[in-house]
């Protein structure tokens, strides 16, 4: 009778879910939720926000770029 109670307790422990697996599932679920949420927000922002305006390029930079390419700058 004593040996039966030992086997019963082993069966209960054997059927329990591995705590490491629970942690892995929770962390994985949170990570996936975070990534999906970011993607949804990104798609929403692309639809609703106007496109960003490009900064105006200064005349100094334009001159420098043209000199690099070997094109004569007009007005000099």
């Amino acid at each position: 009778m004593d040996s039966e109670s030992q086997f019963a307790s082993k069966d209960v422990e054997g059927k329990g879910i591995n705590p490491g697996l629970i942690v892995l599932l929770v962390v994985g679920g949170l990570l996936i939720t975070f990534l999906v949420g970011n993607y949804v927000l990104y798609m929403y922002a692309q639809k609703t926000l106007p496109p960003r305006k490009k900064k105006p390029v200064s005349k100094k930079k334009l001159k420098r770029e043209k000199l690099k390419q070997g094109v004569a700058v007009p007005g000099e």
Side-chain angles (χ1 to χ4, degrees):
M1 188 166 182
D2 192 52
S3 62
E4 285 179 19
S5 64
Q6 286 178 347
F7 286 125
S9 66
K10 282 185 182 177
D11 286 344
V12 171
E13 288 175 11
K15 290 179 184 176
I17 301 171
N18 187 0
L21 184 66
I22 295 171
V23 171
L24 192 68
L25 288 172
V26 169
V27 170
L30 288 172
L31 186 68
I32 289 171
T33 306
F34 175 75
L35 291 173
V36 170
N38 270 351
Y39 179 73
V40 169
L41 276 173
Y42 173 76
M43 294 307 291
Y44 173 74
Q46 290 296 313
K47 288 178 186 174
T48 56
L49 294 176
R52 279 199 287 175
K53 294 177 182 175
K54 291 182 180 178
K55 289 181 182 177
V57 181
S58 67
K59 289 181 182 179
K60 208 177 205 180
K61 280 188 179 178
L62 280 175
K63 277 186 184 179
R64 201 176 298 150
E65 284 297 315
K66 286 184 180 179
L67 282 171
K68 278 184 186 176
Q69 293 171 3
V71 179
V73 180
E76 281 193 3

